[in-house]
């Protein structure tokens, strides 16, 4: 019999959680109730808020006495981040569900995010139809809109709660028997303007018996890939599209954060890296581009995406950042420079063709890369030329074979 963890604020939403508990148990499932609210629960739970707070060395009575909602949320969410994965690793539950507004969502989702990819996670939330990035992060949490506030049992909320309970029940009870042949797994990064390169490299690698997971370098894609590398999913990394660093540096909308390009080197995963789409910063529609960038070279990729060409100074800094990150590697790393352009539109005759900008990028990398640790390969091709793509694929295979 499978067990579902039901986590949340049983002090303020005890009736709602009791309803979900009853639905799940009627379906033949066991439940594990976890209280992460500040005050006494409406009914006794299997795991108390005192146990949650102890995970981070805090007495729940001290939190309750202060009556500081923000402080309580901060401490208990950190406790959940430690407690939930530990309980799962101990085999205490097979899936997790919660209900809440912004507070309840903020309390439970850190613990959900700390669970492995593939563990069923359902968050019924009042903010599920908005920007959920801060709650979901790089995980596979299923955010389910509550439609009405999670406050009381009525004709709409009970239907929503029932459907959510059925969803988590189905996830833990049903198994797909067909197994995919396990092949060595490779992570690759792609953007629209590096698609030909990555497609050709992927096809080559697949013919050689590898499975390639492609991540769209849109911020979330880069963060997700870094997390999965950290979790040990990949045998190799083909990180040809490092454009997210442009947005991180300049202030575009697709930044992946300051830790991009760290996981493979730290975990000794063989990697081939290139400079794909370092010619561009991403914004939304043209009228959303900050005024400070007036007069820059823009390209309307589509009605909702505006690209801005990186400058000579920005390329100098990008070269320093890429070198700094790769110089920290503990494993096999090759950096490949496409001398005839880093994207589809950074080629002669194209709108972002920039020999001076590219020269600064390439020269900075040559000056800063640690050649004792990093193999530097320069090819007289655009990144999207077949020769470049297949050379990258072959080099990664070589690194992975030598790593065994």
């Amino acid at each position: 019999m499978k067990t579902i963890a039901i986590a949340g604020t049983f002090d303020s939403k005890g009736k709602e959680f009791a309803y979900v508990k009853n639905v799940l148990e009627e379906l033949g499932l066991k439940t594990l109730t976890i209280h992460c609210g500040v005050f006494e629960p409406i009914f006794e739970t299997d795991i108390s808020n005192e146990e949650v707070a102890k995970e981070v060395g805090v007495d729940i009575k001290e939190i309750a006495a202060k009556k500081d909602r923000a402080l309580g949320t901060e401490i208990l969410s950190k406790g959940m981040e430690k407690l939930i994965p530990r309980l799962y690793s101990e085999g205490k539950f097979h899936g997790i569900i919660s209900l809440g507004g912004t507070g309840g969502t903020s309390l439970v989702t850190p613990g959900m995010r700390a669970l492995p990819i593939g563990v069923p996670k359902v968050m019924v939330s009042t903010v599920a139809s908005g920007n959920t990035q801060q709650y979901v992060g790089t995980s596979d949490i299923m955010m389910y809109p509550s439609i009405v506030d999670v406050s009381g049992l009525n004709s709409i909320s009970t239907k929503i709660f029932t459907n959510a309970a059925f969803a988590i029940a189905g996830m833990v009870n049903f198994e797909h028997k067909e197994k995919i042949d396990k092949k060595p797994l490779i992570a690759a990064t792609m953007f629209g303007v590096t698609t030909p390169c990555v497609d050709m490299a992927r096809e080559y690698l697949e013919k050689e018996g590898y499975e390639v997971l492609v991540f769209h370098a849109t911020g979330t894609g880069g963060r997700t890939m870094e997390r999965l590398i950290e979790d040990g999913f990949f045998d190799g990394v083909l990180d040809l599209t490092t454009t997210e660093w442009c947005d991180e540096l300049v202030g575009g909308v697709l930044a992946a954060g300051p830790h991009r390009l760290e996981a493979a080197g730290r975990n000794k995963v063989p990697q081939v890296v290139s400079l794909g789409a370092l010619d561009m910063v991403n914004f939304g529609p043209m009228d959303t581009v900050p005024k400070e960038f007036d007069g820059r070279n823009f390209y309307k990729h589509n009605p909702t995406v505006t690209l801005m060409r990186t400058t000579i100074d920005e390329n100098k800094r990008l070269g320093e950042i890429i070198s700094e990150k790769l110089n920290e590697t503990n494993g096999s790393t090759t950096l490949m420079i496409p001398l005839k352009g880093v994207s589809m539109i950074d080629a002669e005759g194209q709108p972002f063709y920039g020999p001076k900008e590219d020269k600064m990028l390439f020269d900075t990398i040559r000056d800063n890369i640690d050649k004792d640790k990093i193999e530097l390969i320069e090819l007289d091709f655009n990144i999207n030329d077949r020769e470049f793509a297949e050379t990258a694929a072959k080099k990664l295979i070589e690194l992975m074979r030598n790593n065994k």
Side-chain angles (χ1 to χ4, degrees):
M1 187 182 293
K2 299 290 181 70
T3 300
I4 305 296
I6 306 173
T9 53
F10 284 74
D11 49 356
S12 61
K13 304 190 185 303
K15 290 181 180 179
E16 295 84 350
F17 283 116
Y19 179 86
V20 171
K21 182 176 187 292
N22 184 59
V23 171
L24 291 169
E25 290 175 349
E26 285 184 354
L27 293 171
L29 293 159
K30 292 181 179 179
T31 58
L32 176 73
T33 50
I34 304 169
H35 175 38
C36 58
V38 173
F39 303 106
E40 290 298 314
I42 290 175
F43 64 91
E44 187 176 352
T45 56
D46 299 305
I47 306 291
S48 69
N49 56 357
E50 182 178 5
E51 293 174 80
V52 176
K54 277 184 180 178
E55 289 289 326
V56 286
V58 178
D59 187 338
I60 190 65
K61 292 178 182 177
E62 293 179 10
I63 302 175
K66 291 180 180 180
K67 296 182 180 180
D68 185 332
R69 181 186 174 109
L71 176 65
T73 300
E74 180 183 0
I75 291 172
L76 289 165
S77 65
K78 289 179 179 177
M80 291 291 279
E81 191 173 10
K82 289 189 172 184
L83 176 70
I84 295 301
R86 179 172 64 77
L87 291 176
Y88 178 76
S89 67
E90 293 171 356
K92 298 294 178 62
F93 66 88
H94 302 90
I96 182 168
I97 188 171
S98 184
L99 325 168
T102 56
T105 306
S106 298
L107 279 164
V108 181
T109 51
M112 289 182 172
R113 290 196 301 270
L115 290 169
I117 299 293
V119 177
K121 318 164 183 73
V122 174
M123 181 73 230
V124 180
S125 173
T126 58
V127 291
S129 63
N131 181 1
T132 61
Q133 181 174 312
Q134 62 182 314
Y135 306 115
V136 177
T138 59
S139 74
D140 58 342
I141 298 171
M142 176 183 170
M143 295 288 287
Y144 196 131
S146 63
I147 307 301
V148 295
D149 198 359
V150 182
S151 178
L153 300 175
N154 53 61
S155 58
I156 291 182
S157 67
T158 52
K159 183 60 177 174
I160 297 297
F161 299 159
T162 299
N163 285 347
F166 285 177
I168 194 77
M171 290 183 208
V172 299
N173 274 332
F174 292 102
E175 295 182 8
H176 185 52
K177 301 297 183 183
E178 183 180 345
K179 301 295 182 183
I180 297 175
D181 293 339
K182 181 166 176 56
K183 301 176 182 178
L185 198 57
I186 292 170
T189 50
M190 185 171 76
F191 216 43
V193 292
T194 62
T195 296
C197 171
V198 179
D199 277 348
M200 287 184 286
R202 175 181 54 78
E203 289 167 6
Y204 186 92
L205 288 163
E206 288 174 348
K207 287 178 183 176
E208 293 297 314
Y210 296 91
E211 182 180 355
V212 182
L213 299 189
V214 178
F215 295 86
H216 203 182
T218 56
T220 300
R223 287 194 300 274
T224 302
M225 184 185 75
E226 295 281 328
R227 174 185 171 174
L228 293 177
I229 294 169
E230 200 75 50
D231 290 345
F233 276 79
F234 297 110
D235 299 279
V237 176
L238 193 69
D239 200 352
L240 301 182
T241 310
T242 45
T243 185
E244 288 154 317
W245 265 110
C246 298
D247 291 64
E248 181 69 22
L249 174 66
V250 183
V253 297
L254 301 182
H259 301 296
R260 182 73 173 83
L261 271 179
E262 293 181 358
R266 180 168 53 245
N267 292 280
K268 300 181 180 179
V269 180
Q271 60 178 335
V272 172
V273 180
S274 191
L275 313 173
L278 286 184
D279 56 328
M280 60 189 63
V281 182
N282 293 266
F283 296 103
M286 185 65 79
D287 60 5
T288 68
V289 178
K291 292 295 183 184
E292 65 187 276
F293 298 120
D294 283 354
R296 293 279 293 266
N297 182 7
F298 292 101
Y299 178 74
K300 187 176 179 181
H301 185 63
N302 61 46
T304 61
V305 176
T306 304
L307 309 177
M308 181 177 76
R309 193 18 163 135
T310 50
T311 65
I312 291 174
D313 288 342
E314 288 162 358
N315 274 274
K316 183 177 190 300
R317 184 65 190 121
L318 287 167
E320 291 170 345
I321 291 169
I322 299 295
S323 300
E324 177 186 334
K325 292 295 179 180
L326 295 184
N327 286 345
E328 296 174 358
T329 185
N330 295 315
S332 303
T333 298
T334 296
L335 176 59
M336 294 181 57
I337 297 179
L339 294 172
K340 288 189 175 178
V342 299
S343 84
M344 194 181 293
I345 59 175
D346 178 33
E348 191 167 358
Q350 295 300 311
F352 278 7
Y353 181 54
K356 292 180 180 179
E357 291 85 350
D358 288 350
K359 185 177 186 301
M360 177 59 76
L361 174 64
F362 303 158
D363 284 347
T364 304
I365 285 172
R366 294 182 187 111
D367 292 342
N368 288 275
I369 206 75
D370 184 347
K371 297 181 181 66
D372 292 329
K373 298 176 73 174
I374 314 298
E375 178 185 21
L376 189 62
I377 296 177
E378 301 186 28
L379 294 177
D380 196 26
F381 296 107
N382 182 275
I383 195 169
N384 289 304
D385 288 337
R386 180 173 293 276
E387 294 87 346
F388 187 91
E390 293 191 354
T391 299
K394 291 173 183 177
K395 174 53 67 172
L396 183 58
I397 292 172
E398 177 190 321
L399 295 183
M400 289 188 293
R401 287 175 177 169
N402 291 340
N403 194 54
K404 290 182 179 178

